[in-house]
PDB file of all heavy atoms in Angstrom:
ATOM      1  N   GLU H 435      75.622 108.694  89.896  1.00 96.00           N
ATOM      2  CA  GLU H 435      76.173 108.259  91.161  1.00 96.00           C
ATOM      3  C   GLU H 435      77.511 109.164  91.394  1.00 96.00           C
ATOM      4  O   GLU H 435      78.403 108.968  90.582  1.00 96.00           O
ATOM      5  CB  GLU H 435      76.473 106.757  91.173  1.00 96.00           C
ATOM      6  CG  GLU H 435      77.033 106.286  92.484  1.00 96.00           C
ATOM      7  CD  GLU H 435      77.501 104.796  92.439  1.00 96.00           C
ATOM      8  OE1 GLU H 435      76.557 103.924  92.410  1.00 96.00           O
ATOM      9  OE2 GLU H 435      78.730 104.535  92.466  1.00 96.00           O
ATOM     10  N   VAL H 436      77.488 109.808  92.559  1.00 97.00           N
ATOM     11  CA  VAL H 436      78.657 110.643  92.848  1.00 97.00           C
ATOM     12  C   VAL H 436      79.238 110.283  94.162  1.00 97.00           C
ATOM     13  O   VAL H 436      78.473 110.164  95.139  1.00 97.00           O
ATOM     14  CB  VAL H 436      78.292 112.149  92.722  1.00 97.00           C
ATOM     15  CG1 VAL H 436      79.431 113.029  93.132  1.00 97.00           C
ATOM     16  CG2 VAL H 436      77.748 112.462  91.385  1.00 97.00           C
ATOM     17  N   ARG H 437      80.491 110.234  94.303  1.00 97.00           N
ATOM     18  CA  ARG H 437      81.163 109.996  95.509  1.00 97.00           C
ATOM     19  C   ARG H 437      82.442 110.832  95.599  1.00 97.00           C
ATOM     20  O   ARG H 437      82.901 111.379  94.645  1.00 97.00           O
ATOM     21  CB  ARG H 437      81.422 108.554  95.812  1.00 97.00           C
ATOM     22  CG  ARG H 437      82.510 107.919  94.862  1.00 97.00           C
ATOM     23  CD  ARG H 437      82.668 106.351  95.241  1.00 97.00           C
ATOM     24  NE  ARG H 437      83.794 105.735  94.606  1.00 97.00           N
ATOM     25  CZ  ARG H 437      83.729 105.143  93.421  1.00 97.00           C
ATOM     26  NH1 ARG H 437      82.602 104.980  92.737  1.00 97.00           N
ATOM     27  NH2 ARG H 437      84.938 104.581  93.045  1.00 97.00           N
ATOM     28  N   ILE H 438      83.027 110.965  96.790  1.00 97.00           N
ATOM     29  CA  ILE H 438      84.213 111.846  97.081  1.00 97.00           C
ATOM     30  C   ILE H 438      85.345 110.914  97.477  1.00 97.00           C
ATOM     31  O   ILE H 438      85.218 110.094  98.262  1.00 97.00           O
ATOM     32  CB  ILE H 438      83.957 112.877  98.139  1.00 97.00           C
ATOM     33  CG1 ILE H 438      82.969 113.910  97.634  1.00 97.00           C
ATOM     34  CG2 ILE H 438      85.173 113.605  98.556  1.00 97.00           C
ATOM     35  CD1 ILE H 438      82.539 114.965  98.688  1.00 97.00           C
ATOM     36  N   SER H 439      86.520 111.201  96.806  1.00 97.00           N
ATOM     37  CA  SER H 439      87.762 110.449  97.238  1.00 97.00           C
ATOM     38  C   SER H 439      88.705 111.652  97.781  1.00 97.00           C
ATOM     39  O   SER H 439      88.941 112.566  97.015  1.00 97.00           O
ATOM     40  CB  SER H 439      88.334 109.760  95.986  1.00 97.00           C
ATOM     41  OG  SER H 439      89.554 109.086  96.495  1.00 97.00           O
ATOM     42  N   ASP H 440      89.130 111.370  98.954  1.00 97.00           N
ATOM     43  CA  ASP H 440      89.963 112.324  99.588  1.00 97.00           C
ATOM     44  C   ASP H 440      91.518 112.158  99.284  1.00 97.00           C
ATOM     45  O   ASP H 440      92.059 111.164  99.682  1.00 97.00           O
ATOM     46  CB  ASP H 440      89.768 112.317 101.141  1.00 97.00           C
ATOM     47  CG  ASP H 440      90.153 113.640 101.786  1.00 97.00           C
ATOM     48  OD1 ASP H 440      91.007 114.310 101.214  1.00 97.00           O
ATOM     49  OD2 ASP H 440      89.883 113.759 102.990  1.00 97.00           O
ATOM     50  N   LEU H 441      92.105 113.106  98.681  1.00 96.00           N
ATOM     51  CA  LEU H 441      93.550 112.948  98.287  1.00 96.00           C
ATOM     52  C   LEU H 441      94.401 113.064  99.568  1.00 96.00           C
ATOM     53  O   LEU H 441      95.479 112.428  99.508  1.00 96.00           O
ATOM     54  CB  LEU H 441      93.884 114.201  97.354  1.00 96.00           C
ATOM     55  CG  LEU H 441      95.180 114.050  96.588  1.00 96.00           C
ATOM     56  CD1 LEU H 441      95.175 112.958  95.613  1.00 96.00           C
ATOM     57  CD2 LEU H 441      95.473 115.441  95.861  1.00 96.00           C
ATOM     58  N   TYR H 442      93.866 113.603 100.554  1.00 96.00           N
ATOM     59  CA  TYR H 442      94.625 113.710 101.872  1.00 96.00           C
ATOM     60  C   TYR H 442      94.892 112.204 102.438  1.00 96.00           C
ATOM     61  O   TYR H 442      95.763 112.056 103.241  1.00 96.00           O
ATOM     62  CB  TYR H 442      93.863 114.543 102.771  1.00 96.00           C
ATOM     63  CG  TYR H 442      94.671 114.964 103.987  1.00 96.00           C
ATOM     64  CD1 TYR H 442      95.745 115.994 103.860  1.00 96.00           C
ATOM     65  CD2 TYR H 442      94.487 114.531 105.313  1.00 96.00           C
ATOM     66  CE1 TYR H 442      96.430 116.365 105.025  1.00 96.00           C
ATOM     67  CE2 TYR H 442      95.154 114.888 106.422  1.00 96.00           C
ATOM     68  CZ  TYR H 442      96.133 115.824 106.213  1.00 96.00           C
ATOM     69  OH  TYR H 442      96.835 116.272 107.394  1.00 96.00           O
ATOM     70  N   ALA H 443      93.992 111.314 102.084  1.00 95.00           N
ATOM     71  CA  ALA H 443      94.163 109.998 102.643  1.00 95.00           C
ATOM     72  C   ALA H 443      95.262 109.277 101.954  1.00 95.00           C
ATOM     73  O   ALA H 443      95.745 108.321 102.509  1.00 95.00           O
ATOM     74  CB  ALA H 443      92.877 109.225 102.441  1.00 95.00           C
ATOM     75  N   PHE H 444      95.704 109.740 100.833  1.00 95.00           N
ATOM     76  CA  PHE H 444      96.895 109.122 100.051  1.00 95.00           C
ATOM     77  C   PHE H 444      98.097 109.933 100.268  1.00 95.00           C
ATOM     78  O   PHE H 444      99.246 109.362 100.404  1.00 95.00           O
ATOM     79  CB  PHE H 444      96.481 109.037  98.643  1.00 95.00           C
ATOM     80  CG  PHE H 444      95.248 108.234  98.257  1.00 95.00           C
ATOM     81  CD1 PHE H 444      94.006 108.826  98.062  1.00 95.00           C
ATOM     82  CD2 PHE H 444      95.358 106.824  98.341  1.00 95.00           C
ATOM     83  CE1 PHE H 444      92.936 108.080  97.729  1.00 95.00           C
ATOM     84  CE2 PHE H 444      94.240 106.067  98.009  1.00 95.00           C
ATOM     85  CZ  PHE H 444      92.960 106.666  97.763  1.00 95.00           C
ATOM     86  N   PHE H 445      97.884 111.227 100.320  1.00 94.00           N
ATOM     87  CA  PHE H 445      99.133 112.115 100.452  1.00 94.00           C
ATOM     88  C   PHE H 445      98.937 112.956 101.681  1.00 94.00           C
ATOM     89  O   PHE H 445      98.167 113.998 101.610  1.00 94.00           O
ATOM     90  CB  PHE H 445      99.367 112.945  99.243  1.00 94.00           C
ATOM     91  CG  PHE H 445      99.655 112.278  97.998  1.00 94.00           C
ATOM     92  CD1 PHE H 445      98.597 112.032  97.125  1.00 94.00           C
ATOM     93  CD2 PHE H 445     100.918 111.815  97.691  1.00 94.00           C
ATOM     94  CE1 PHE H 445      98.862 111.289  95.888  1.00 94.00           C
ATOM     95  CE2 PHE H 445     101.120 111.065  96.552  1.00 94.00           C
ATOM     96  CZ  PHE H 445     100.185 110.847  95.637  1.00 94.00           C
ATOM     97  N   HIS H 446      99.426 112.486 102.747  1.00 92.00           N
ATOM     98  CA  HIS H 446      99.264 113.206 104.167  1.00 92.00           C
ATOM     99  C   HIS H 446     100.170 114.448 104.186  1.00 92.00           C
ATOM    100  O   HIS H 446     100.951 114.553 105.037  1.00 92.00           O
ATOM    101  CB  HIS H 446      99.483 112.312 105.282  1.00 92.00           C
ATOM    102  CG  HIS H 446      98.914 112.712 106.641  1.00 92.00           C
ATOM    103  ND1 HIS H 446      97.537 113.086 106.772  1.00 92.00           N
ATOM    104  CD2 HIS H 446      99.479 112.989 107.765  1.00 92.00           C
ATOM    105  CE1 HIS H 446      97.370 113.473 107.915  1.00 92.00           C
ATOM    106  NE2 HIS H 446      98.561 113.386 108.604  1.00 92.00           N
ATOM    107  N   THR H 447      99.876 115.459 103.313  1.00 93.00           N
ATOM    108  CA  THR H 447     100.669 116.630 103.332  1.00 93.00           C
ATOM    109  C   THR H 447      99.792 117.779 102.664  1.00 93.00           C
ATOM    110  O   THR H 447      98.647 117.531 102.348  1.00 93.00           O
ATOM    111  CB  THR H 447     101.964 116.438 102.439  1.00 93.00           C
ATOM    112  OG1 THR H 447     102.809 117.605 102.562  1.00 93.00           O
ATOM    113  CG2 THR H 447     101.551 116.156 100.966  1.00 93.00           C
ATOM    114  N   SER H 448     100.361 118.926 102.630  1.00 93.00           N
ATOM    115  CA  SER H 448      99.603 120.110 102.136  1.00 93.00           C
ATOM    116  C   SER H 448      99.258 119.953 100.568  1.00 93.00           C
ATOM    117  O   SER H 448     100.062 119.384  99.911  1.00 93.00           O
ATOM    118  CB  SER H 448     100.322 121.385 102.511  1.00 93.00           C
ATOM    119  OG  SER H 448     101.558 121.551 101.740  1.00 93.00           O
TER     120      SER H 448
END
Side-chain angles (χ1 to χ4, degrees):
E435 179 187 287
V436 179
R437 65 182 194 267
I438 293 177
S439 184
D440 196 343
L441 195 64
Y442 194 72
F444 301 101
F445 299 97
H446 194 57
T447 186
S448 66

